[in-house]
Amino acid sequence: MMKSERDNNIMNVEDVLQDVEIGEEVDKGTGSQTPERDRKGWKRTLLVALVVSAVAAIGLGLGLGLKGASSSSVADESTQQSQTSHVTPYLSPPEEPTGDTSHDEESASLENEEAEVYYRSPPTDPIPATLRLISPSIMSGYAAGEEGCNELYSDIYNAAAILANEEIKENAEDYDDRYSGGYGCRSYSYSSFSGGVPKSLNRAPDSGSVTEDSYETNNQEGGVDEADVMKSDGKHVFTGYGDILVIWDAKTGEELSRTRIPPRKALAKEEGGYQSYYNRMPSISGLLLDSNSNRIVVIASGYGQKYRFDYPGRPVLGDKGEVQVRVYDITKIPTDGSELPLIASKELDGRYRAAREIDGVAHIVVQSSVETHSHISRALDNKRDVYDDLNREKYVAAATEKAKEVLHRFSTQMVEELVTNSGGKDCSAVIRVALYASGGADVDSDGLPDTITSGGILRSYIQTFSFDISAGHDTESLGLDTKAAGSFFPSGSSEVYASKDVIIAAGRGYHRHPGGSWSQSTYFLAYKLQADGSAPSGLSIGSAPGYVLNQFSMDEYKGYFRVATTERARWACVESSEPSVWRSSWTRCKWRRVSESKSQLVVMKFPESGTSEYSGEMKTIKVIRDLGVTEEIKSARFFDDKAYIVTFRQTDPLYTIDFKDPENPEVTDELKITGFSSYLHPVGNDRLLAIG
């Protein structure tokens, strides 16, 4: 993992990170083991690990939810704080990958096993690891029961091992210029909204005004209602102001009701909490209105539990309890300013990304950061005291042993949290862990799939929660019954698009090229939505060059996924013979721009499940390239068999693209005007409103 990418991952954490020593002292007299150990040596190490783990398990009397036994103080405290799992994960790290792992070259390999393609780490890596690439099995998820969770543990361990290998190798190469931990950012949040909400919007009607007969949200797709901070049913206006839901009479402007979203009790110090510099109060992020059931869904953010960085029980999944979903009854709205009656509520782990309501069913997307830095990277940081006075070879040996310990603890805790997070009793709601790369493709100059070098394997965990808004709920606990599906995602950010059938998350990533340059990529994760509110099912994953601007840059049409992206200008370290142009210790080069910014429209096809050709991957059908070279997309909109894209540098080219043949779209018109348009909207059948 490159340092720039690691720092980006660190900055996703909202805590004020504190420096803390992780792990036990490493015996300075040991560590002579070299990273180039043979397979027999690994198996002997594994056998010892199995015996030690088994003895430790018997001694501690741990059955369900076995915790990683360790002599370090951090591991002991972590064991005490971990929650009991519903399943029994592996007692020790998974065995070395089966199959032929001997390679003539010191590089990673891609191997086929029963129609599955696996990435296998090179034999020179400190820890052997294997992980599947895109294949038909990944979208089906893990099996129910203990077997599925054991397999999930193994996949998480291998994915984390790949990242740990990159950390160890990078620290070894950069041993004299060590990285110091302790970066972080403060958490900013909304304060409780006191005052500022107008008591009344009462005003005399304008006799010359036109009567409004449409109160719907400006939605991207017909039949798919998007969450917004303001909703109306024609009779009332519902608005989120900070932590208050305010309701007015739509005709008179008179305020009728105020409902305050309650704050969450902060964690006590002994629970791992710390005193924030800011008063974290909830803030309403979106509303979904279901007039058929006379209910309104309020989605509030800012509930996250903040843990001290040195707390042993710190969760692996970040943004714990960040979102709260509350369903209120609006059958009879109070007129005396009192609150709405609460029907049900639930806390969700992750940051709120988007929400949709389709035929009375709510779909909410949240995304959690994965704390690989605090749980893995910090333990391998070569600036820690435990690695003092070690040479490069001894550091690799010591860090490798430490990595095995923290990887087991990390993977075990991750499985426990995923089971609890999904609200289930097994791991069947999790899409299989995989690299976002196809067999034989997307391999960079080091032989590693690009999602490894960008730190993207376990970058985040994204979930879609679904529930029937009109369904009955427990009147005592007021618990909201939701169904969820989740997947690890190679990006820390996401834009969300939804049609009536699918919901797609798009996240930014990178692809490394020879010479050290990077280009932008967008990764896609698609779920199939269920009309009855049951759990969404994994549909497919895919990628495209460049970045999407926003949700309007994506569209689903007749089984095809259409997306408009921009690739920024790319710079690379070009070799130079000039002695004065030293830019690093590994090459003599000069940074130059090797390609201009450009945009494209990519057409992909969703895989057809149940067929012999099903792969789990969106297949690229057509790419219209070089839209606005040296420019970037400023707005895009799709309408059935037409697409409109605006790019800009000094003028505003508006491209019209015809999709009568979805597999062979073509640019049919281009209009250049001064300035640029940032939003496009249809007005009738033959007019397009451009705002900018």
Side-chain angles (χ1 to χ4, degrees):
M1 179 166 58
M2 303 297 293
K3 279 200 172 85
S4 61
E5 281 303 300
R6 172 170 58 190
D7 290 344
N8 287 338
N9 199 16
I10 297 168
M11 295 303 290
N12 284 333
V13 185
E14 285 193 336
D15 306 338
V16 178
L17 305 184
Q18 304 169 7
D19 191 23
V20 54
E21 291 300 326
I22 295 180
E24 58 206 334
E25 288 290 329
V26 176
D27 186 353
K28 304 298 190 301
T30 63
S32 59
Q33 180 185 10
T34 64
E36 293 84 3
R37 61 190 181 282
D38 58 16
R39 293 182 59 200
K40 292 183 179 180
W42 159 247
K43 289 185 176 180
R44 286 194 296 268
T45 302
L46 176 61
L47 181 59
V48 173
L50 287 170
V51 173
V52 171
S53 299
V55 172
I58 295 173
L60 293 174
L62 297 177
L64 295 176
L66 183 70
K67 317 301 187 297
S70 170
S71 59
S72 69
S73 59
V74 171
D76 291 338
E77 294 177 29
S78 179
T79 300
Q80 296 172 8
Q81 296 293 336
S82 297
Q83 298 176 351
T84 301
S85 173
H86 295 280
V87 297
T88 305
Y90 275 116
L91 302 182
S92 63
E95 294 186 7
E96 182 179 1
T98 58
D100 182 14
T101 58
S102 60
H103 312 305
D104 295 333
E105 300 180 359
E106 295 183 357
S107 61
S109 67
L110 301 174
E111 298 185 5
N112 289 277
E113 287 187 3
E114 300 180 357
E116 298 258 280
V117 182
Y118 287 83
Y119 162 83
R120 301 195 189 283
S121 61
T124 54
D125 270 10
I127 304 173
T130 182
L131 193 65
R132 67 177 58 83
L133 276 65
I134 297 176
S135 59
S137 69
I138 61 176
M139 305 311 295
S140 61
Y142 293 93
E146 181 179 325
E147 178 184 355
C149 285
N150 285 343
E151 186 181 359
L152 173 60
Y153 168 91
S154 178
D155 288 344
I156 293 173
Y157 185 97
N158 278 281
I162 295 172
L163 295 180
N165 285 336
E166 293 303 302
E167 290 281 353
I168 294 173
K169 290 187 294 184
E170 180 183 345
N171 285 333
E173 292 175 2
D174 196 26
Y175 206 70
D176 295 327
D177 181 21
R178 297 174 176 178
Y179 162 75
S180 176
Y183 289 95
C185 59
R186 293 180 178 179
S187 171
Y188 293 83
S189 64
Y190 295 97
S191 298
S192 175
F193 198 99
S194 58
V197 181
K199 287 291 184 180
S200 174
L201 297 181
N202 204 1
R203 65 185 183 276
D206 183 356
S207 59
S209 63
V210 178
T211 302
E212 176 63 57
D213 59 0
S214 175
Y215 297 91
E216 295 181 354
T217 300
N218 178 26
N219 298 311
Q220 180 179 2
E221 296 285 355
V224 181
D225 187 38
E226 301 181 21
D228 201 351
V229 293
M230 180 176 288
K231 291 286 185 179
S232 177
D233 60 2
K235 298 179 181 179
H236 307 94
V237 177
F238 306 84
T239 306
Y241 277 92
D243 60 344
I244 300 175
L245 173 64
V246 185
I247 305 176
W248 291 287
D249 186 291
K251 294 183 178 180
T252 66
E254 180 184 0
E255 182 182 320
L256 304 176
S257 171
R258 283 191 179 203
T259 302
R260 184 180 296 273
I261 308 301
R264 180 176 188 170
K265 182 182 178 181
L267 288 172
K269 185 175 181 180
E270 58 271 17
E271 297 174 310
Y274 71 90
Q275 182 63 45
S276 174
Y277 290 101
Y278 302 94
N279 184 21
R280 286 183 58 84
M281 299 296 290
S283 177
I284 296 176
S285 300
L287 305 173
L288 293 173
L289 181 64
D290 184 19
S291 298
N292 293 328
S293 64
N294 287 319
R295 293 180 179 182
I296 188 168
V297 179
V298 178
I299 305 164
S301 301
Y303 273 83
Q305 292 177 325
K306 296 301 164 184
Y307 292 85
R308 297 194 319 275
F309 199 71
D310 60 344
Y311 179 58
R314 182 185 178 93
V316 174
L317 289 175
D319 312 299
K320 194 73 174 176
E322 176 69 19
V323 174
Q324 184 163 150
V325 181
R326 302 174 70 85
V327 181
Y328 292 96
D329 185 3
I330 58 172
T331 303
K332 187 176 181 180
I333 295 176
T335 58
D336 58 358
S338 59
E339 296 193 348
L340 294 173
L342 178 66
I343 295 177
S345 67
K346 184 172 185 175
E347 290 181 354
L348 306 180
D349 292 344
R351 297 195 179 195
Y352 171 71
R353 294 305 186 199
R356 302 290 190 269
E357 181 268 317
I358 304 172
D359 296 330
V361 176
H363 306 281
I364 301 174
V365 180
V366 296
Q367 186 173 15
S368 300
S369 60
V370 179
E371 306 291 352
T372 54
H373 172 73
S374 58
H375 286 268
I376 299 176
S377 300
R378 287 177 62 85
L380 308 179
D381 185 355
N382 60 9
K383 191 167 183 166
R384 296 197 169 277
D385 293 342
V386 294
Y387 303 123
D388 280 352
D389 302 325
L390 299 182
N391 60 26
R392 184 174 302 181
E393 182 180 89
K394 290 184 177 181
Y395 160 75
V396 171
T400 299
E401 294 308 309
K402 171 55 67 177
K404 294 175 185 177
E405 172 193 318
V406 298
L407 291 180
H408 173 55
R409 186 164 64 244
F410 171 86
S411 305
T412 302
Q413 186 175 341
M414 175 69 80
V415 172
E416 293 176 352
E417 291 184 21
L418 289 177
V419 171
T420 303
N421 192 278
S422 65
K425 295 183 178 180
D426 55 38
C427 303
S428 59
V430 182
I431 292 176
R432 291 173 183 263
V433 182
L435 299 178
Y436 273 51
S438 303
D442 296 331
V443 178
D444 65 23
S445 58
D446 289 341
L448 302 178
D450 56 354
T451 51
I452 296 176
T453 52
S454 64
I457 303 174
L458 301 175
R459 186 70 180 275
S460 68
Y461 186 73
I462 193 165
Q463 295 182 95
T464 298
F465 289 86
S466 299
F467 62 93
D468 184 347
I469 299 176
S470 64
H473 303 282
D474 191 323
T475 56
E476 292 186 7
S477 66
L478 300 182
L480 181 62
D481 183 21
T482 62
K483 306 299 181 183
S487 174
F488 290 99
F489 197 53
S491 177
S493 62
S494 63
E495 293 284 347
V496 177
Y497 163 82
S499 67
K500 295 198 70 172
D501 300 316
V502 300
I503 192 164
I504 302 172
R508 294 185 173 188
Y510 300 92
H511 184 90
R512 190 172 67 180
H513 298 273
S517 67
W518 295 78
S519 60
Q520 302 90 8
S521 296
T522 298
Y523 300 103
F524 303 101
L525 171 63
Y527 291 103
K528 178 73 174 177
L529 299 177
Q530 310 300 326
D532 61 356
S534 56
S537 58
L539 178 61
S540 62
I541 61 179
S543 64
Y547 289 159
V548 298
L549 177 66
N550 51 36
Q551 68 184 62
F552 294 102
S553 296
M554 299 178 281
D555 180 76
E556 183 267 333
Y557 178 67
K558 295 184 176 180
Y560 295 90
F561 180 51
R562 309 180 291 187
V563 57
T565 66
T566 294
E567 290 182 82
R568 302 285 177 85
R570 186 162 62 89
W571 294 71
C573 194
V574 180
E575 284 194 39
S576 172
S577 59
E578 302 174 27
S580 60
V581 190
W582 285 94
R583 288 293 180 266
S584 70
S585 60
W586 52 269
T587 188
R588 183 190 299 254
C589 67
K590 178 183 293 184
W591 284 92
R592 293 190 176 95
R593 184 166 56 188
V594 296
S595 67
E596 299 285 355
S597 62
K598 56 187 177 181
S599 299
Q600 54 269 320
L601 189 147
V602 182
V603 180
M604 292 179 277
K605 190 172 184 179
F606 293 114
E608 297 182 13
S609 59
T611 66
S612 59
E613 298 180 354
Y614 179 72
S615 65
E617 181 181 13
M618 302 178 194
K619 296 296 183 183
T620 299
I621 303 297
K622 176 76 172 182
V623 180
I624 298 180
R625 304 182 187 277
D626 298 334
L627 296 175
V629 177
T630 74
E631 301 174 340
E632 61 184 60
I633 292 176
K634 291 297 184 180
S635 60
R637 200 72 190 260
F638 295 87
F639 308 112
D640 296 330
D641 61 355
K642 290 288 190 297
Y644 301 94
I645 298 174
V646 172
T647 62
F648 175 76
R649 184 176 182 182
Q650 290 181 331
T651 59
D652 175 356
L654 170 62
Y655 296 95
T656 301
I657 302 171
D658 192 291
F659 273 92
K660 289 181 180 178
D661 182 354
E663 295 193 3
N664 291 286
E666 58 179 350
V667 178
T668 58
D669 206 351
E670 179 181 343
L671 174 65
K672 290 190 176 183
I673 57 176
T674 304
F676 67 89
S677 304
S678 56
Y679 178 73
L680 302 175
H681 192 84
V683 182
N685 296 324
D686 57 355
R687 294 186 180 183
L688 181 69
L689 173 65
I691 302 174

